[in-house]
């Protein structure tokens, strides 16, 4: 299947700093990329949907100014957590879609963020 | 009421057992149904997807959808210790969005 990578796999940062997470589709061009957050023993919650070259669509309750998403190319999307706080500590997972359909959504390995 | 309900488990079975994992959903407009497997600290891996009522088989895995009851199932035959993971059902809820269940933690013991 298609491969999606994320970098970094784990990051620890101080409260108030910003953290950038990269999501790359390695062997295919992704029309759409999705960003999810997963708290321990909970399900994946969709944060936002991004299409290459356009602004991301955020889910209700997700602060667009806090979670900046850039989808500058068909193989790269970035999520920047600005002014991170301990409550932002979570597992962030991206997925990439070939055609925008759910049946072709491939997930990255996730990034574990710990804000001290 | 959550859009997708899934028993979180944990579910523990002996090696070789048949495993049954289930989800219920509330929105009859849902069209696509998926099962993902997630190992600890990893991203989800797509196992099965289907879009109609009935059964779909792939090796030891069978996905079953009953749209009239809003009920989906994943069966694992001849379960192996390597099947130990969290299994997430996911349903396409319109607008190209996936809604996930909470996941069922499965442990297959030797």
């Amino acid at each position: 299947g298609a491969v999606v990578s994320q970098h970094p796999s784990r990051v620890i940062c101080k409260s108030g700093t910003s953290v950038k997470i990269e999501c790359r589709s390695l062997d295919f061009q992704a029309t759409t990329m999705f960003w999810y957050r997963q708290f321990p023993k909970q399900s994946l919650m969709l944060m936002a949907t991004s299409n290459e070259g356009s602004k991301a669509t955020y889910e209700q309750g997700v602060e667009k100014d806090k979670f900046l998403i850039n989808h500058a190319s068909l193989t790269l999307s970035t999520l920047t957590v600005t002014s991170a706080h301990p409550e932002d500590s979570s597992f962030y997972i991206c997925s990439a879609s070939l055609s925008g359909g759910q049946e072709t959504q491939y997930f990255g390995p996730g990034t574990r963020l710990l804000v001290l | 009421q959550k859009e997708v309900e899934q028993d979180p488990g944990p579910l523990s079975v002996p090696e070789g057992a048949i495993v049954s994992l289930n989800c219920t959903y509330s929105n009859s407009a849902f069209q696509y149904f998926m099962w993902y497997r997630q190992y600890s600290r990893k991203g989800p891996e797509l196992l099965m997807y289907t879009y109609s009522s009935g059964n779909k088989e792939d090796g030891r895995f069978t996905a079953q959808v009953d749209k009239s009851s809003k009920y989906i199932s994943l069966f694992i035959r001849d379960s192996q210790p390597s099947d130990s993971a969290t299994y997430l059902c996911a349903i396409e809820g319109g607008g190209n969005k996936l809604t996930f269940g909470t996941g069922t933690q499965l442990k297959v013991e030797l």
Side-chain angles (χ1 to χ4, degrees):
Chain A
V3 179
V4 176
S5 70
Q6 276 184 247
H7 178 80
S9 59
R10 176 183 291 186
V11 58
I12 301 172
C13 69
K14 292 182 179 179
S15 184
T17 61
S18 294
V19 174
K20 179 184 283 188
I21 302 170
E22 292 187 348
C23 176
R24 293 181 185 272
S25 55
L26 298 184
D27 52 1
F28 67 101
Q29 293 187 325
T31 309
T32 305
M33 288 186 170
F34 304 84
W35 286 95
Y36 295 83
R37 181 166 53 182
Q38 186 178 34
F39 291 105
K41 298 193 176 183
Q42 294 188 26
S43 190
L44 282 78
M45 298 298 296
L46 180 64
M47 298 175 66
T49 304
S50 72
N51 293 292
E52 184 266 338
S54 61
K55 290 184 178 180
T57 301
Y58 290 80
E59 294 301 298
Q60 191 173 11
V62 178
E63 300 174 56
K64 60 179 68 176
D65 293 330
K66 180 169 182 62
F67 299 98
L68 301 178
I69 292 173
N70 183 282
H71 192 162
S73 77
L74 285 171
T75 61
L76 173 64
S77 176
T78 60
L79 167 68
T80 301
V81 182
T82 62
S83 187
H85 289 283
E87 57 265 31
D88 297 324
S89 299
S90 187
F91 193 47
Y92 291 86
I93 308 174
C94 73
S95 69
S97 174
L98 283 162
S99 63
Q102 303 332 112
E103 67 271 26
T104 54
Q105 198 171 135
Y106 299 95
F107 283 82
T111 297
R112 190 160 300 279
L113 170 64
L114 177 61
V115 184
L116 301 176
Chain B
Q1 181 188 10
K2 291 182 180 178
E3 285 190 293
V4 180
E5 298 273 3
Q6 184 175 10
D7 187 340
L11 177 63
S12 184
V13 300
E15 184 179 8
I18 296 175
V19 176
S20 173
L21 304 165
N22 311 292
C23 287
T24 58
Y25 61 96
S26 58
N27 190 338
S28 58
F30 287 155
Q31 296 185 40
Y32 291 91
F33 308 89
M34 296 101 186
W35 284 96
Y36 286 85
R37 177 174 62 195
Q38 186 177 24
Y39 291 111
S40 181
R41 300 176 183 269
K42 300 292 184 183
E45 170 193 9
L46 179 64
L47 283 176
M48 306 272 297
Y49 77 87
T50 185
Y51 55 86
S52 59
S53 284
N55 294 352
K56 182 176 181 179
E57 192 173 316
D58 184 1
R60 296 185 295 111
F61 299 92
T62 300
Q64 188 176 80
V65 176
D66 182 348
K67 286 189 174 182
S68 62
S69 301
K70 300 190 188 70
Y71 192 87
I72 64 173
S73 301
L74 178 70
F75 299 97
I76 307 174
R77 291 185 299 280
D78 188 23
S79 56
Q80 304 295 312
S82 58
D83 294 329
S84 298
T86 296
Y87 290 81
L88 298 144
C89 62
I91 303 178
E92 191 271 333
N96 290 332
K97 296 178 183 177
L98 281 179
T99 300
F100 283 86
T102 52
T104 298
Q105 187 179 354
L106 171 67
K107 184 174 183 180
V108 181
E109 298 180 333
L110 290 169

